[in-house]
Structures are given as structure tokens and as C-alpha cells.
């Protein structure tokens, strides 16, 4: 975790870490995180689809994705298909819990590996509470103000602004969730690396790490959300146009979904490594300033 004594401690924002943290995604923890994420988002829904097919039987619906289903047909499926008694089965929730645990664990390991500290669950869990305490209200307020602005722009009657408002209403909640995740990543790292720090100072430093560079953080969060959403939207459009009329098409769509999920997981891992290195530098800058004040104050 230690670096050279002559380390440059000049101010650096998150943009400056993009290049140096893009590698490492296929190290052991990074690769395990990607595989666990793919299993959680692709294997679990696929297992559920197989379970539903066993209950309901073959259906013509995969051939016609746009076909409407009446309320009576849904009632017949629920009653006669046995979905009320075993709508998930045993293996789908079991695999879901296991893969979700692996996603959370290896995501945490990616960050602790960057700092050279031991991954423990206590700072991981308490970091969630810290992030909600210092991030939910201010980030929620910013999101609400942004949505109000989008509503105003959408109500002007200008077509371009209307589309902008529609897109903004889709992206804003996703960006809020992603920014809260970033705040959580910062809080859990701080708790793991500095367990004895005063609680008030811990929260203040965690807030400063995010709020001192709002433009850089917001651009990274928005860019990540657009890329991840866009990749899945492309796969959904492909599935909608092709349908599921053949085994080849179904497997092609499934593989495309797995590839999009793997790319998204790699991007998330990249972002987590960036946050870890930024937090480490911020901590050392604060420590250097504190030492200077003590020596010359």
C-alpha cells in the first residue's frame, strides 16, 4: 500500500486515473467478478425460463414477441401451470443467492486488492449505512431538481427538448443509483483502511472525495450508465427483431446478452479500481497537509 516517499501529491481528479486503472480487469478477482456477474444476470434468468417451460409447456409466444396476452390467458397459466405453488423452483433462487454473494465478494476484493488491505464484511456493511446517511438526501435533492428542470423543458412543446426530457427521466434514477454506489465504495474503503478514524471526520472526508469534483464524477457516472444501458438495449432490440423461433436464435441472443453483461462487469470493475486509487491518493494528500501543519504550525 505504501508508495515512494517522493510521490507527487498534486491534486488529481478521477479522470486522471482512467488510463492507469483500465488494466487489471482480468486478474483473478476481476475475472471472478465478471464471471459471477454474467452468471447472476444471464444464467439465473435462463434457469428460471427453463423452469417456467417445464411448468407451462411449449408455447408459441417465443415466435411472436409482440403478441398480446389476455388476462384470461394469464389466469390460466397461473392456475393450471402450477406457477402459484412453484413459480421460482428451487435452483433459480439458490443460484441467484450464490452468484449475488460472489458478485458482492469479488467486487469488494477488487478494491481491497488495489489498497493492499484485507477484505472484511464489517466495513463493507457499515459503508452502506454511511453512504445512505451522507449521500441519499443531497443526491436525491439534486436528482429531484434535475427532474423538475427536465419537466419544464419537456413542457415547452419543442420536440427536441421533449425527447431530452424523456431520456433524462430514464437516465436520472440510474445515475442516482450509480452515484450512491460510488459513495458506498468510498465509505467502505475508508472504514477498512482507517478503522480508528473519528466517525465525523470519516463521513466528512468521504463526502469531500465525491463532491469536490462534481463535473468529473457526474461525467464518469453518466458515461458508464449510457454505455451499460446501451449495450443491453442493443441486445433487447436484436431479440425483439429476431424473436425466439429457433434454437440458434435463442442461443445467439443469450450469448450476446452474456457478452454485454461481461463488458458491463469489466467497466464496473474498472470504476471500482479507479475509486480505490483516488481515495488512497486523497488520504495521503490529507495526511501530508496534516504533517505540514504540525511541523510548521
Amino acid at each position: 500500500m505504501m508508495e515512494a516517499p517522493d510521490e507527487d501529491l498534486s491534486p488529481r481528479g478521477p479522470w486522471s486515473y482512467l488510463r492507469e486503472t483500465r488494466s487489471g480487469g482480468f486478474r483473478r478477482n476481476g475475472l471472478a467478478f465478471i464471471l459471477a456477474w454474467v452468471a447472476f444476470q444471464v444464467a439465473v434468468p435462463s434457469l428460471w425460463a427453463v423452469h417456467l417451460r417445464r411448468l407451462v409447456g411449449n408455447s408459441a409466444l417465443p415466435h411472436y414477441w409482440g403478441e398480446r396476452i389476455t388476462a384470461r390467458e394469464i389466469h390460466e397459466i397461473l392456475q393450471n401451470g402450477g406457477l402459484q405453488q412453484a413459480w421460482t423452483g428451487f435452483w433459480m433462487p439458490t443460484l441467484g443467492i450464490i452468484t449475488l454473494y460472489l458478485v458482492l465478494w469479488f467486487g469488494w476484493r477488487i478494491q481491497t486488492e488495489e489498497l493492499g488491505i484485507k477484505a472484511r464484511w464489517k466495513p463493507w456493511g457499515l459503508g452502506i449505512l454511511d453512504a445512505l446517511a451522507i449521500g441519499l438526501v443531497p443526491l436525491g435533492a439534486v436528482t429531484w431538481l434535475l427532474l423538475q428542470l427536465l419537466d419544464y423543458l419537456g413542457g415547452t412543446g419543442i420536440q427536441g427538448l421533449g425527447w431530452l426530457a424523456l431520456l433524462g427521466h430514464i437516465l436520472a434514477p440510474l445515475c442516482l443509483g450509480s452515484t450512491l454506489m460510488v459513495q458506498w465504495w468510498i465509505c467502505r474503503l475508508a472504514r477498512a483502511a482507517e478503522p480508528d478514524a473519528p466517525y465525523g471526520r470519516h463521513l466528512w472526508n468521504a463526502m469531500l472525495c465525491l463532491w469536490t469534483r462534481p463535473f468529473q464524477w457526474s461525467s464518469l457516472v453518466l458515461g458508464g450508465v449510457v454505455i451499460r444501458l446501451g449495450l443491453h438495449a442493443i441486445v433487447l432490440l436484436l431479440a425483439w427483431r429476431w424473436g425466439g423461433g429457433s434454437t440458434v436464435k435463442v442461443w445467439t441472443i443469450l450469448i450476446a446478452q452474456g457478452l454485454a453483461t461481461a463488458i458491463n462487469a469489466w467497466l464496473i470493475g474498472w470504476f471500482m479500481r479507479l475509486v480505490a486509487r483516488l481515495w488512497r491518493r486523497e488520504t495521503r494528500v490529507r495526511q501530508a497537509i496534516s504533517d505540514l501543519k504540525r511541523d510548521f504550525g
Side-chain angles (χ1 to χ4, degrees):
M1 183 176 175
M2 296 300 295
E3 294 182 5
D6 59 346
E7 175 191 3
D8 178 22
L9 295 179
S10 59
R12 293 177 62 185
W15 282 354
S16 63
Y17 291 90
L18 284 170
R19 178 175 297 180
E20 65 184 69
T21 55
R22 66 185 177 187
S23 61
F26 295 102
R27 293 198 295 261
R28 183 178 64 177
N29 290 322
L31 184 59
F33 176 76
I34 293 173
L35 294 176
W37 194 262
V38 171
F40 179 70
Q41 289 206 338
V42 179
V44 173
S46 299
L47 189 61
W48 188 41
V50 172
H51 171 72
L52 293 180
R53 182 179 179 182
R54 290 174 180 172
L55 288 177
V56 179
N58 292 326
S59 173
L61 291 179
H63 297 267
Y64 307 99
W65 280 49
E67 182 177 291
R68 292 186 176 182
I69 307 177
T70 65
R72 180 177 180 83
E73 290 171 334
I74 295 176
H75 177 75
E76 290 292 331
I77 291 175
L78 291 174
Q79 290 293 328
N80 301 328
L83 296 184
Q84 290 181 327
Q85 292 75 27
W87 69 278
T88 63
F90 172 77
W91 292 110
M92 192 276 285
T94 301
L95 181 62
I97 293 172
I98 293 174
T99 53
L100 179 59
Y101 169 82
L102 293 176
V103 165
L104 297 174
W105 174 246
F106 285 111
W108 182 214
R109 288 287 300 271
I110 287 174
Q111 290 198 291
T112 56
E113 181 183 39
E114 288 293 321
L115 299 185
I117 58 179
K118 188 175 180 61
R120 300 182 184 276
W121 283 115
K122 183 177 179 180
W124 180 93
L126 293 177
I128 298 177
L129 301 179
D130 295 340
L132 292 175
I134 64 177
L136 186 60
V137 172
L139 291 174
V142 171
T143 303
W144 181 81
L145 290 174
L146 178 60
L147 291 175
Q148 296 303 307
L149 176 61
L150 290 172
D151 287 338
Y152 171 78
L153 294 176
T156 59
I158 301 175
Q159 185 175 9
L161 294 180
W163 283 106
L164 177 63
L166 176 61
L167 182 61
H169 274 78
I170 296 174
L171 296 178
L174 298 177
C175 289
L176 171 62
S178 293
T179 310
L180 279 173
M181 290 292 289
V182 173
Q183 187 69 85
W184 172 36
W185 295 344
I186 295 171
C187 291
R188 69 188 189 183
L189 285 172
R191 278 192 172 273
E194 298 179 327
D196 299 325
Y199 185 61
R201 190 179 70 185
H202 155 71
L203 293 181
W204 177 250
N205 290 336
M207 285 188 65
L208 288 179
C209 192
L210 181 67
W211 287 91
T212 51
R213 297 177 180 87
F215 178 74
Q216 290 196 32
W217 280 121
S218 59
S219 62
L220 288 175
V221 168
L222 177 60
V225 167
V226 170
I227 293 173
R228 295 195 300 272
L229 184 64
L231 287 173
H232 286 299
I234 290 173
V235 176
L236 179 61
L237 179 62
L238 177 66
W240 185 265
R241 290 178 62 89
W242 279 9
S246 68
T247 302
V248 173
K249 289 182 178 180
V250 171
W251 276 104
T252 301
I253 295 169
L254 195 62
I255 292 172
Q257 179 68 12
L259 181 60
T261 304
I263 295 174
N264 287 343
W266 180 81
L267 289 173
I268 294 172
W270 183 4
F271 209 173
M272 286 193 289
R273 292 191 300 275
L274 180 151
V275 170
R277 293 201 185 188
L278 176 67
W279 180 87
R280 178 175 60 187
R281 185 181 183 84
E282 293 285 316
T283 302
R284 287 174 175 168
V285 170
R286 288 195 301 269
Q287 184 61 47
I289 295 173
S290 177
D291 293 341
L292 287 174
K293 288 182 178 179
R294 185 183 65 247
D295 295 338
F296 300 100

